[in-house]
C-alpha cells in the first residue's frame, strides 16, 4: 500500500471534541443547550442501532437527546403532528426522522414537514435548493463529513477534478454541489455513464457512493488521487461469515491512490459527528450567534 490512510474514526473523534467544546461554551456563556430529536418509526434493527448510537453520542458531547419511538403502524397524520410539535419546541434545535420509513408513509411529505432551520439531515427541499444556489443551508451529514476530510488533506480544493460516482439525493447530488461550491470541476457518474473507468481515472478527488461492493478497482484510480469511499456493503467471506467492504476495492486502489478512506473506519464515523455539528450549527443560527468555525460547509 502506498496511499496515506485517512482515519475517519480519529477525525470524527476530533469533530466531536470540537462540538463538545462549543456546547460547553454555549452553556456557560449563553445558558443554551442544543437539543436533537430523533424520530424512529417501526423496529428495523439497523435503524435501531443507528438511533441508539446517535442518542449516546449526542449526550456524550453535552447536548440534549430526545428520542421518539413510534410503532410501525403509526399514521401519517400522527407522525406529522409530532413533527409540528417538535418544530414548535424551542428546546429542540435539530430534528431527524430515521429513514427508511414504513411503506405506508410518504417520505417526501414527512421530510418536508420539518422546519428547514431544524432539518439537520439537510433533506428538506428548501435546504436542497439553498445548497444548490450557494446560500446558507443545512448540509447532509455524509457529504459534509467527506468535505471536511478533503479540506483537511488538501486545504483548498479549487480547480481540482472531482468525480462522484453515484447520484443519490442523500450523498451523490449534495456531494457534487459541495465540491462545486469549493470550486472543483465536478462530474457525477452513475450506472448509465459511458467510459466510467476513464472518467474516474481523470479524478484528483474520487468519491464512491454507488452501493456496489468493490466496484472501483485500482486501474480506475489516477496515481496520487484522494479516494473517499462512502459505500458500506456486507459480503460473504470465502471461509464463511460476512464482512463489510466499500464501493472501492481497497487493496488495489490503495496501491495507486495518494490517500484513501478505509471501510469500516472511514466515512462512516463522520456521519454522526456531522449530525452533532449540524445540531450545534442549528442552535447557533436559531439564537443569532456566530456559527462554529470549521464545522460547517
Ligand atoms: N438512514 C440511514 N442513514 C440515514 C441518515 O443519514 N439520515 C436519516 N434520516 N436516515 C438514515
Amino acid at each position: 500500500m502506498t496511499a496515506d490512510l485517512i482515519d475517519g474514526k480519529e477525525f470524527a473523534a476530533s469533530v466531536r471534541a470540537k462540538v463538545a467544546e462549543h456546547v460547553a461554551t454555549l452553556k456557560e456563556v449563553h445558558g443554551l443547550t442544543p437539543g436533537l430529536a430523533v424520530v424512529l418509526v417501526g423496529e428495523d434493527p439497523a435503524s435501531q442501532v443507528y438511533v441508539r448510537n446517535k442518542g449516546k453520542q449526542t449526550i456524550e458531547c453535552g447536548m440534549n437527546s430526545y428520542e421518539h419511538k413510534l410503532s410501525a403502524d403509526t399514521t401519517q397524520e400522527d407522525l406529522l403532528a409530532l413533527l409540528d410539535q417538535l418544530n414548535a419546541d424551542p428546546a429542540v434545535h435539530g430534528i431527524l426522522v430515521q429513514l427508511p420509513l414504513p411503506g405506508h408513509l410518504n417520505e417526501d411529505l414527512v421530510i418536508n414537514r420539518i422546519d428547514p432551520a431544524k432539518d439537520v439531515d439537510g433533506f428538506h427541499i428548501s435546504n436542497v435548493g439553498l445548497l444548490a444556489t450557494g446560500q446558507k443551508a443545512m448540509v447532509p451529514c455524509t457529504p459534509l463529513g467527506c468535505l471536511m476530510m478533503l479540506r483537511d488533506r488538501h486545504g483548498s480544493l479549487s480547480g481540482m477534478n472531482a468525480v462522484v460516482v453515484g447520484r443519490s439525493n442523500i450523498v451523490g447530488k449534495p456531494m457534487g454541489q459541495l465540491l462545486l461550491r469549493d470550486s472543483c470541476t465536478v462530474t457525477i457518474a452513475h450506472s448509465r455513464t459511458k467510459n466510467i473507468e476513464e472518467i474516474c481515472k481523470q479524478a484528483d478527488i474520487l468519491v464512491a457512493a454507488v452501493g456496489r461492493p468493490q466496484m472501483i478497482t485500482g486501474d480506475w484510480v489516477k496515481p496520487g488521487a484522494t479516494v473517499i469511499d462512502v459505500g458500506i456493503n456486507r459480503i460473504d467471506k470465502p471461509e464463511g461469515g460476512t464482512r463489510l467492504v466499500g464501493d472501492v476495492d481497497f487493496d488495489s486502489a490503495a496501491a495507486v491512490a495518494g490517500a484513501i478512506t478505509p471501510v469500516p473506519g472511514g466515512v462512516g464515523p463522520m456521519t454522526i459527528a456531522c449530525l452533532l455539528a449540524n445540531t450545534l450549527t442549528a442552535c447557533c443560527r436559531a439564537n443569532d450567534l456566530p456559527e462554529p468555525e470549521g464545522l460547517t460547509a
Side-chain angles (χ1 to χ4, degrees), residues 62-93:
M63 304 198 212
N64 290 326
S65 168
Y66 308 99
E67 280 181 18
H68 294 268
K69 294 185 175 163
L70 309 179
S71 66
D73 61 357
T74 297
T75 63
Q76 179 124 315
E77 198 185 5
D78 284 349
L79 179 53
L80 294 180
L82 172 62
L83 292 176
D84 290 344
Q85 182 197 314
L86 295 172
N87 284 340
D89 186 343
V92 172
H93 303 95

Side-chain angles (χ1 to χ4, degrees), residues 47 50 54 96-100 111 121 123 141-142 170 271:
S47 292
Y50 281 133
K54 282 170 191 161
L96 178 147
V97 177
Q98 184 68 30
L99 302 177
I111 295 302
D121 259 328
F123 294 165
C141 303
T142 301
I170 292 179
T271 298

Side-chain angles (χ1 to χ4, degrees), residues 66-190:
Y66 308 99
E67 280 181 18
H68 294 268
K69 294 185 175 163
L70 309 179
S71 66
D73 61 357
T74 297
T75 63
Q76 179 124 315
E77 198 185 5
D78 284 349
L79 179 53
L80 294 180
L82 172 62
L83 292 176
D84 290 344
Q85 182 197 314
L86 295 172
N87 284 340
D89 186 343
V92 172
H93 303 95
I95 302 170
L96 178 147
V97 177
Q98 184 68 30
L99 302 177
L101 288 170
H104 67 285
L105 298 169
N106 179 331
E107 269 182 16
D108 288 337
L109 209 74
V110 169
I111 295 302
N112 289 324
R113 188 70 160 237
I114 299 170
D115 176 350
K118 297 189 177 188
D119 168 36
V120 282
D121 259 328
F123 294 165
H124 190 289
I125 193 74
S126 297
N127 282 314
V128 176
L130 290 167
L131 176 61
T133 51
Q135 300 179 70
K136 197 183 273 189
M138 294 304 304
V139 173
C141 303
T142 301
L144 178 58
C146 296
L147 184 75
M148 283 183 188
M149 293 194 286
L150 287 166
R151 283 178 175 169
D152 181 66
R153 171 128 187 121
H154 294 284
S156 168
L157 308 182
S158 181
M160 294 179 87
N161 258 346
V163 176
V164 179
V165 187
R167 54 176 158 176
S168 70
N169 291 335
I170 292 179
V171 184
K173 285 181 203 160
M175 188 76 247
Q177 295 290 0
L178 286 171
L179 291 164
L180 192 57
R181 244 169 57 158
D182 270 27
S183 302
C184 291
T185 302
V186 179
T187 304
I188 299 185
H190 49 79

